[in-house]
């Protein structure tokens, strides 16, 4: 059974994802007693959720189509068929959303909305069986032809295989490459990405159980080096941002001359889209918790000795833990230790992760994290995501509309804009919260605003006290019209993140102000 997403970054509906406009995930208010924890309890109750009394069957396409009603709903995900009838009232997207998958292979639909969800663990008691594999007529005909091409016990030589015409090489090869060199005590792997690397970095290195993975996250593409290796800890990862070079230095366990780096494994030296790369988890240690507000903490996680992770801006990681026998997975956007840390602290992102997490009293995972003692282990997967630096190319005015913890993806964007992107003349944040005590990193935002003339922040409270002197209310066209300036000869980008209702309304209002689809980026909520 797979316990991790096998493809790409999750859901267009994830609160941590940057996605094209127009892709939102509807959420409904669940009835009392229908939370994720209640669903886990139901799956542990011994109730027959498949209607087959524990039998597993092979399901034909014709049989699958028959089970397409509210009380008899089967669906297929990656070749496995589940009876999701009992899950109807527990589904966060509601019955209507789940019925879209009734009686069909819903793999593509699932990947569009909640690819990151660990469905195999959540629906394991609903498993009906495996889809029947249809015979391939072309393959069958070829087999029959092969069997008939024997004369007097001797095989007739088959015709030469038709090779596809080679694809012309591009004028310039943009594919990364690597080389390596050694000293008596170290092995050094150098990756030439052939492009400028952001200061936040893009390298992810994991050495576990004699397996070395070196992954470069380059926009929407992933370059992977993958070896069976001699056991040796990662010494240091050095990045030359301007020339796009990353060097991984490792200790030799025995001082000796190596004739090769290691034994290449499957997918070694491959350059594919990030969404097609399998997700990898490593065990991290909870080092500290820092209260940010009355209900929000920053968790500092330390990566294992053999791991080094630079999370590109706009990318995300997954926390995974087992609760009552079910794997619960949720994406979070890393933040820096401070809003604008000293430049030399950028290396901290390689060995530590800082995750700003709001604790919900009825939240299954967040309640667990709130009670997790220091020194405990958490599985961290990723990084994942679709945000690329190309989106910010030539932008002169960066606007951010954030509500609540929708601020987390904005935090590193602010740092990027002010420290690395000199083309951006103005960065403005409009931050929506219920009360003043809910504002995340309020003092740091105010300090940054006073020191940096290119940055402005405006707070809006929906439930302010009488002493509040700032903006009041909820997002509307009037406040955005004044906030979203469009100077002459400017190129604007509006980033939006928050709860689903906020995000949908904000995007609608921004469009009404004649901002194009290319000028809007949504971190879905």
């Amino acid at each position: 059974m797979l316990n991790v997403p096998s493809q790409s970054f999750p859901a267009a509906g994830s609160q941590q994802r940057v996605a094209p406009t127009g892709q939102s995930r509807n959420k409904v208010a669940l009835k009392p007693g229908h939370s994720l924890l209640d669903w886990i309890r139901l799956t542990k109750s011994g109730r027959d959720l498949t209607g087959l009394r524990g039998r597993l069957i092979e399901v034909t396409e014709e049989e699958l189509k028959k089970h397409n009603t509210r009380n008899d709903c089967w669906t297929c995900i990656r070749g496995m068929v589940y009876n999701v009838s009992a899950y109807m009232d527990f589904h966060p997207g509601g019955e209507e959303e789940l019925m879209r998958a009734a009686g069909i292979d819903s793999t593509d639909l699932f990947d569009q909305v909640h690819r990151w969800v660990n469905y195999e663990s959540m629906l394991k008691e609903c498993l009906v069986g495996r889809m029947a594999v249809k015979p391939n007529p072309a393959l069958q005909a070829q087999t029959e032809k092969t069997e008939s091409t024997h004369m007097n016990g001797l095989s007739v030589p088959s015709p030469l295989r038709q090779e596809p015409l080679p694809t012309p090489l591009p004028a310039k090869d943009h594919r990364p490459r690597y080389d390596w060199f050694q000293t008596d005590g170290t092995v050094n792997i150098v990756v030439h990405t052939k492009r400028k690397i952001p200061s936040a970095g893009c390298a992810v290195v994991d050495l576990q159980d004699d397996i070395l993975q070196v992954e470069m996250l380059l926009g929407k593409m992933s370059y992977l080096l993958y070896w069976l290796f001699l056991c040796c800890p990662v010494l240091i990862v050095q990045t030359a941002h301007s020339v796009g070079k990353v060097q991984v230095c490792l200790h030799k366990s025995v001082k000796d001359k190596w004739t090769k780096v290691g034994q290449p494994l499957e997918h070694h030296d491959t350059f594919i889209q990030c969404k097609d790369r399998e997700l990898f988890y490593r065990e991290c240690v909870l080092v500290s918790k820092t209260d940010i507000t009355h209900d929000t903490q920053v968790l500092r996680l330390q990566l294992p000795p053999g791991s080094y992770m630079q999370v590109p801006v706009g990318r995300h990681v997954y926390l995974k833990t087992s609760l009552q026998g079910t794997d619960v997975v949720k994406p979070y956007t890393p933040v820096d230790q401070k809003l604008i840390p000293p430049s030399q602290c950028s290396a901290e992102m390689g060995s530590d992760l800082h995750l700003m997490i709001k604790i919900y009293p009825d939240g299954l995972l967040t309640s667990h994290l709130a009670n997790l003692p220091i020194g405990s282990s958490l599985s961290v997967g990723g990084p994942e995501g679709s945000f690329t630096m190309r989106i910010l190319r030539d932008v002169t005015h960066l606007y951010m509309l954030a509500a609540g913890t929708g601020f987390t993806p904005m935090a590193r964007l602010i740092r990027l804009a002010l420290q690395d992107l000199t083309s951006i003349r103005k960065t403005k944040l409009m931050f929506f919260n219920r009360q003043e005590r809910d504002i995340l990193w309020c003092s740091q935002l105010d300090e940054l605003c006073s020191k940096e003339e290119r940055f402005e922040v405006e707070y809006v409270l929906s439930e302010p006290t009488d002493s509040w002197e700032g903006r009041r209310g909820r997002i509307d066209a009037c406040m955005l019209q004044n906030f979203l300036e469009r100077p002459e000869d400017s190129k604007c980008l509006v980033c939006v993140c928050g709860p689903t209702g906020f995000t949908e309304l904000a995007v609608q209002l921004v469009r009404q102000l004649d901002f194009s689809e290319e000028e809007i980026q949504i971190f879905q909520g």
Side-chain angles (χ1 to χ4, degrees):
M1 299 286 280
L2 293 176
N3 290 322
V4 300
S6 60
Q7 311 262 338
S8 130
F9 178 63
S14 163
Q15 66 193 30
Q16 307 297 333
R17 173 174 181 167
V18 175
T21 57
Q23 294 181 1
S24 62
R25 177 185 175 190
N26 296 323
K27 293 184 180 179
V28 299
L30 298 176
K31 301 175 184 177
H34 288 80
S35 67
L36 175 58
L37 182 57
D38 293 314
W39 171 252
I40 293 175
R41 289 173 180 152
L42 177 61
T43 63
K44 304 297 181 186
S45 67
R47 175 178 161 185
D48 180 15
L49 300 181
T50 66
L52 298 176
R53 298 181 181 180
R55 293 184 300 116
L56 293 178
I57 64 174
E58 191 173 59
V59 183
T60 63
E61 186 175 344
E62 292 71 22
E63 180 67 22
L64 178 64
K65 290 179 180 178
K66 297 176 183 177
H67 302 271
N68 61 357
T69 65
R70 164 65 175 81
N71 297 317
D72 182 21
C73 183
W74 290 12
T75 192
C76 173
I77 305 176
R78 295 191 174 91
M80 306 304 289
V81 179
Y82 300 88
N83 184 344
V84 295
S85 309
Y87 188 56
M88 285 288 174
D89 292 332
F90 295 85
H91 186 241
E95 175 184 329
E96 182 179 351
E97 182 75 13
L98 196 55
M99 283 300 295
R100 294 171 60 196
I104 64 171
D105 185 329
S106 61
T107 303
D108 291 341
L109 182 63
F110 177 86
D111 285 347
Q112 290 172 16
V113 182
H114 21 38
R115 177 181 283 151
W116 63 280
V117 172
N118 192 353
Y119 68 91
E120 290 186 310
S121 180
M122 289 180 59
L123 299 179
K124 59 186 175 183
E125 299 301 326
C126 302
L127 181 63
V128 170
R130 188 184 300 273
M131 281 295 293
V133 179
K134 285 186 174 182
N136 187 324
L139 182 62
Q140 186 175 5
Q142 179 64 36
T143 302
E144 292 173 354
K145 181 179 179 180
T146 302
E147 290 175 348
S148 65
T149 53
H150 287 74
M151 299 171 60
N152 299 327
L154 298 177
S155 299
V156 175
S158 59
L160 292 176
R161 182 164 56 95
Q162 294 293 320
E163 295 286 352
L165 294 175
T167 304
L169 292 175
K172 185 176 180 181
D173 182 10
H174 293 282
R175 190 181 190 280
R177 66 175 181 85
Y178 77 95
D179 52 32
W180 68 285
F181 64 92
Q182 61 182 312
T183 67
D184 287 342
T186 64
V187 171
N188 299 270
I189 302 166
V190 182
V191 181
H192 304 275
T193 65
K194 302 182 182 179
R195 66 211 72 200
K196 185 178 179 180
I197 296 174
S199 61
C202 65
V204 182
V205 181
D206 288 285
L207 179 59
Q208 295 185 13
D209 301 325
D210 297 346
I211 302 293
L212 175 68
Q213 299 183 75
V214 179
E215 183 178 11
M216 300 290 117
L217 301 172
L218 306 170
K220 295 182 179 181
M221 304 298 289
S222 163
Y223 179 65
L224 181 69
L225 303 176
Y226 195 30
W227 288 285
L228 177 62
F229 218 78
L230 297 180
C231 186
C232 48
V234 172
L235 174 64
I236 192 170
V237 177
Q238 297 176 328
T239 303
H241 302 105
S242 60
V243 297
K245 184 176 74 172
V246 176
Q247 181 170 322
V248 181
C249 180
L250 306 104
H251 281 298
K252 292 180 179 179
S253 54
V254 178
K255 291 186 177 182
D256 195 7
K257 285 293 183 182
W258 289 17
T259 58
K260 60 181 180 179
V261 178
Q263 178 63 43
L265 300 175
E266 187 179 6
H267 307 306
H268 172 68
D269 196 18
T270 54
F271 189 46
I272 63 175
Q273 291 196 40
C274 293
K275 68 181 183 65
D276 296 326
R277 187 75 74 190
E278 185 176 356
L279 193 64
F280 180 81
Y281 279 88
R282 71 282 295 162
E283 290 298 312
C284 298
V285 176
L286 177 61
V287 176
S288 66
K289 299 179 183 179
T290 304
D291 290 332
I292 303 301
T293 68
H294 62 103
D295 63 358
T296 304
Q297 298 177 328
V298 168
L299 274 57
R300 179 182 174 189
L301 302 178
Q302 186 177 67
L303 274 70
S307 294
Y308 180 93
M309 181 188 296
Q310 295 175 321
V311 182
V313 173
R315 301 296 176 97
H316 323 88
V317 298
Y318 298 90
L319 290 188
K320 181 179 72 171
T321 190
S322 180
L323 299 177
Q324 300 191 17
T326 298
D327 286 338
V328 178
V329 184
K330 190 172 181 181
Y332 289 100
T333 303
V335 296
D336 293 309
Q337 190 170 9
K338 299 177 67 176
L339 186 60
I340 300 290
S343 57
Q344 62 267 25
C345 291
S346 61
E348 288 185 3
M349 289 301 293
S351 57
D352 292 342
L353 289 175
H354 296 85
L355 304 179
M356 187 178 287
I357 297 175
K358 183 173 182 178
I359 307 299
Y360 295 92
D362 57 348
L364 186 60
L365 179 58
T366 60
S367 297
H368 171 76
L369 296 175
N371 298 316
L372 199 63
I374 302 301
S376 301
S377 294
L378 281 169
S379 294
V380 176
E384 290 273 356
S386 61
F387 188 88
T388 69
M389 291 292 292
R390 187 180 299 272
I391 295 169
L392 296 169
R393 179 178 295 175
D394 301 326
V395 169
T396 61
H397 288 70
L398 178 62
Y399 299 112
M400 305 178 189
L401 305 175
T405 49
F407 166 73
T408 54
M410 309 300 185
R412 295 182 70 206
L413 271 177
I414 292 172
R415 176 188 173 186
L416 177 71
L418 298 180
Q419 289 195 341
D420 295 347
L421 301 179
T422 56
S423 63
I424 296 182
R425 303 197 295 266
K426 181 65 70 174
T427 298
K428 297 173 67 175
L429 169 68
M430 184 171 279
F431 197 179
F432 297 80
N433 288 277
R434 291 178 59 193
Q435 300 176 355
E436 190 172 359
R437 67 173 186 164
D438 297 319
I439 301 175
L440 303 171
W441 275 352
C442 182
S443 60
Q444 292 191 42
L445 287 168
D446 290 342
E447 180 183 358
L448 180 62
C449 193
S450 65
K451 292 181 177 179
E452 177 57 70
E453 63 180 13
R454 292 193 297 147
F455 178 69
E456 294 179 13
V457 60
E458 194 168 342
Y459 305 111
V460 184
L461 301 184
S462 60
E463 300 177 9
T465 61
D466 292 339
S467 61
W468 176 251
E469 298 179 355
R471 278 191 180 270
R472 299 165 178 258
R474 301 180 185 277
I475 189 169
D476 60 35
C478 182
M479 65 175 67
L480 289 190
Q481 190 168 17
N482 297 327
F483 179 77
L484 299 176
E485 305 170 306
R486 192 192 285 271
E488 189 176 352
D489 297 327
S490 65
K491 181 177 178 181
C492 301
L493 181 69
V494 184
C495 296
V496 183
C497 187
T500 302
F502 168 85
T503 299
E504 292 178 347
L505 178 56
V507 171
Q508 178 183 342
L509 294 172
V510 172
R511 287 173 179 158
Q512 290 174 2
L513 294 174
D514 294 328
F515 284 83
S516 67
E517 299 299 317
E518 291 74 23
E519 294 175 311
I520 304 173
Q521 283 296 321
I522 306 172
F523 290 79
Q524 292 284 4

